[in-house]
Amino acid sequence: MIKVCLADNYPVVHFGVKSYFKDHAEISIVANVGNFLMVRDILLTKEIDVLILDLELEGLSSIFEVKAVLKNFPKTKIIIFSGLSEQIYAPNAIKAGVSGFIHKKEKLETLGISIIKVHQGKIIINETVKKNLALIAKQSKSERLYRKLSNREVEVLRYLSDGKKNHEIAEILKLNEKTISTYKLRLLTKLNVTNLVDLVNKAKTLEIV
């Protein structure tokens, strides 16, 4: 039996997932957590084969924290189960070491199949994302812009788009405020805009946030 922990903000998601896998022959939801701080506690006290994790989970501020979990608990596979853009976040998540990225618009049947495959050591990523990555060289400059962004730059851009100030982002990501300013300047350059309003609009147009 594959032991699974679901980490998500919303009770309705916990209820739906737990109900769906209640009588599953291979998968057992053995833990449910509602914030990132609880993830480590669960992994320390229970044997978890697969962690289903939403990138927007309360208390989770960076993909680097996910990377730390993978380093500290190498026997646990992680599947990102999120409503965020696969095209932007899946490649970065896979690069960080997670085993799969499933968008919340997918059926729970797809999640179940992915859990089994990930437990077998496979990497799960949407075919559309794979094709898009394979076509990077053939795409226009504007279509490739977001692919030049690092994990950290995507995170900073996400918080800027949420209306957060540099000092707030610095506090969330535990970085120096000057470092955030540097990332902001890089984003302006890479997305070829000159101000924050245009930066946020460009990010939304390219579905980065």
Side-chain angles (χ1 to χ4, degrees):
M1 188 68 74
I2 304 172
K3 299 179 180 65
V4 176
C5 172
L6 173 63
D8 195 278
N9 291 330
Y10 302 105
V12 66
V13 175
H14 287 282
F15 177 79
V17 172
K18 198 164 186 177
S19 297
Y20 181 83
F21 292 107
K22 183 179 179 181
D23 300 313
H24 200 283
E26 299 178 69
I27 298 169
S28 176
I29 307 297
V30 299
N32 295 77
V33 298
N35 64 68
F36 191 66
L37 293 176
M38 296 173 66
V39 170
R40 181 178 173 81
D41 292 338
I42 288 294
L43 294 178
L44 284 170
T45 56
K46 290 190 176 184
E47 183 181 333
I48 302 296
D49 298 310
V50 180
L51 171 64
I52 307 300
L53 178 68
D54 189 343
L55 285 178
E56 296 182 288
L57 181 68
E58 182 181 348
L60 174 59
S61 61
S62 170
I63 191 67
F64 294 94
E65 292 178 312
V66 177
K67 198 171 184 178
V69 170
L70 288 164
K71 180 180 179 180
N72 293 327
F73 303 94
K75 292 183 179 180
T76 300
K77 306 289 186 181
I78 294 181
I79 292 177
I80 300 300
F81 186 49
S82 178
L84 293 173
S85 170
E86 288 176 272
Q87 201 167 351
I88 302 301
Y89 291 91
N92 285 340
I94 297 297
K95 184 178 178 181
V98 307
S99 297
F101 191 109
I102 305 298
H103 197 278
K104 284 187 173 179
K105 67 184 178 183
E106 297 290 343
K107 296 179 180 179
L108 288 178
E109 179 184 2
T110 300
L111 179 61
I113 293 171
S114 299
I115 290 171
I116 294 171
K117 288 184 177 180
V118 162
H119 186 247
Q120 295 171 343
K122 298 177 182 177
I123 301 297
I124 304 299
I125 188 169
N126 186 285
E127 285 299 321
T128 301
V129 176
K130 286 183 182 178
K131 290 177 182 177
N132 286 342
L133 291 175
L135 292 173
I136 290 176
K138 298 180 181 179
Q139 292 178 329
S140 67
K141 183 178 180 181
S142 62
E143 291 173 315
R144 294 199 309 270
L145 280 173
Y146 68 86
R147 302 190 190 283
K148 296 179 181 178
L149 304 185
S150 67
N151 289 344
R152 188 66 85 188
E153 287 167 347
V154 170
E155 289 169 351
V156 170
L157 181 53
R158 178 178 160 194
Y159 288 122
L160 286 171
S161 298
D162 286 341
K164 289 183 169 52
K165 305 298 182 183
N166 286 12
H167 71 274
E168 294 176 308
I169 301 173
E171 186 175 343
I172 292 171
L173 297 179
K174 298 178 177 59
L175 295 172
N176 186 286
E177 188 174 344
K178 289 184 178 180
T179 302
I180 300 302
S181 296
T182 298
Y183 280 123
K184 185 176 177 181
L185 287 173
R186 288 181 187 174
L187 287 165
L188 290 169
T189 300
K190 289 186 176 183
L191 294 183
N192 195 29
V193 291
T194 57
N195 59 71
L196 181 57
V197 174
D198 288 344
L199 177 64
V200 172
N201 288 334
K202 188 71 168 285
K204 290 179 179 178
T205 300
L206 294 173
E207 297 184 346
I208 297 176
V209 296

